[in-house]
Amino acid sequence: MQLARTRPPHRDDVRIAVVGLLGGLVLWAFGLGMNPGRLFNGSWLLVPLAAMAGLELLRRTRPWFALCAGTLVLAADQCTQGSLATVLMYTDLVYAAVLYGSPAAARRIPVGSGLLTAGSTLGALAVWRQPEALLIGVAVGLITFAPATTGVLVRNHRETAAAERLRAEQTALLAEMDRTQAVTAERARMARELHDMVANHLSAIAIHSTAALSIDDAATTRTALETIRENSVDGLAEMRRLIGILRDSSGDTEPVAAPTLDGLSALVEHARTNGLDAVLTLTGTTTGLPAPVELAAYRIVQESLTNALKHASAGRVTVAVERSDDRIEVRVTSPYGDRDGPRAPGSGAGLVGMRERTALLGGTFEAGPLGADPGGAAGDKVWRVRAVLPLENPVPEREST
């Protein structure tokens, strides 16, 4: 069985022990004692002096043992000529027992020293019946109760300071976590906005450039190049506007107008110019909608048309936006199946962005293939995007474009 190693004494404890021992030796050299005429005179006082100095080495590592043993040494010192240094080192042991001891000891030692002081005072008065007997109680109080209460005050101060430091560290940690979450959320929002703004234009460019390369016809090539140029200019304008907002340090905090559902007609018309057979149906009024809900609905329609341009088969794309009392529902359906014409690559970021927008507002989102298209030929399949956005207490999402 391996015994636990005892911690070495703290260097401050060593200094206190050395100073106490040297001070006692100086007092003894000058013949200064506290109790003349006791049983053991002369150099006998050096024994409790050395023992008390040795216990000072344990004041921080084993405070309760040092106090109990110090009490016995102090009692033995009363049988000698006595040394002031021994008494002072004992008061330090009382102080250290409260400061470095267990919480239970820190509570009990002041109470016990207070009872001891009161009992000594009353006992001295009962025995001698002289006012001078009060000095006995004062001496006991100075040796036990005063250092104990001082230890309590210092311990409480240290515990309060430690609690404040811990609270400050926790606050700093929470602030750093909030900052990290805010940065992550802002990056995700910027990624969604950048994707929604540019993906439509780049998809159209990819589709028409592929068609121009695959079809050797001058008229088709010219039409494709005109469409490519139009989408390039619009995409660059959107990109410059976003970069300008991110770099703006002028202090202008005026909000930039966010897209609204009133712009859905223009959005669908732009999809038609890119080759989609798209139709729009609006049910209910679109006025008075919460800004986050209106923005999310617009972006979901925009991304759905972009995905239809990249992946949908030939056929009609329907956009339906329906508002009720407590929600707004967006449905976009497009032909689903093998595509003969050119197809633009996709990464799936659009579906992720739409799902994130819907989740931020507490809504539901669905995207996937369905069965037969009610408006098409038998056996036709459609891809449907459906998002339900509640109108009550929407979570705001900032718009940067």
Side-chain angles (χ1 to χ4, degrees), residues 290-370:
V293 174
E294 193 166 12
L295 172 62
Y298 180 92
R299 292 301 191 197
I300 290 173
V301 173
Q302 182 184 43
E303 181 57 30
S304 299
L305 292 175
T306 300
N307 289 342
L309 178 65
K310 292 191 292 184
H311 306 297
S313 303
R316 173 156 292 185
V317 178
T318 62
V319 179
V321 179
E322 179 180 349
R323 177 184 177 175
S324 60
D325 294 336
D326 59 346
R327 68 180 186 174
I328 184 169
E329 183 175 349
V330 177
R331 296 186 303 274
V332 181
T333 58
S334 57
Y336 177 71
D338 296 333
R339 177 171 177 168
D340 298 331
R343 182 188 298 268
S347 63
L351 291 176
V352 173
M354 289 189 286
R355 184 171 285 107
E356 288 178 350
R357 288 183 183 277
T358 306
L360 286 173
L361 298 173
T364 58
F365 177 82
E366 302 171 358
L370 296 179

Side-chain angles (χ1 to χ4, degrees), residues 213-368:
L213 291 173
S214 60
I215 300 175
D216 188 12
D217 180 74
T220 302
T221 301
R222 182 176 181 81
T223 301
L225 290 176
E226 291 176 351
T227 305
I228 289 173
R229 182 185 184 281
E230 178 184 352
N231 282 277
S232 299
V233 172
D234 293 342
L236 287 174
E238 295 285 356
M239 183 70 73
R240 280 195 299 268
R241 180 163 48 167
L242 176 61
I243 294 176
I245 292 173
L246 295 177
R247 289 181 173 177
D248 185 18
S249 59
S250 61
D252 184 10
T253 58
E254 289 295 325
V256 182
T260 64
L261 294 185
D262 293 335
L264 286 182
S265 298
L267 187 64
V268 173
E269 183 62 30
H270 184 268
R272 292 195 191 101
T273 62
N274 288 328
L276 281 181
D277 181 14
V279 294
L280 172 65
T281 301
L282 289 174
T283 304
T285 178
T286 58
T287 60
L289 289 173
V293 174
E294 193 166 12
L295 172 62
Y298 180 92
R299 292 301 191 197
I300 290 173
V301 173
Q302 182 184 43
E303 181 57 30
S304 299
L305 292 175
T306 300
N307 289 342
L309 178 65
K310 292 191 292 184
H311 306 297
S313 303
R316 173 156 292 185
V317 178
T318 62
V319 179
V321 179
E322 179 180 349
R323 177 184 177 175
S324 60
D325 294 336
D326 59 346
R327 68 180 186 174
I328 184 169
E329 183 175 349
V330 177
R331 296 186 303 274
V332 181
T333 58
S334 57
Y336 177 71
D338 296 333
R339 177 171 177 168
D340 298 331
R343 182 188 298 268
S347 63
L351 291 176
V352 173
M354 289 189 286
R355 184 171 285 107
E356 288 178 350
R357 288 183 183 277
T358 306
L360 286 173
L361 298 173
T364 58
F365 177 82
E366 302 171 358

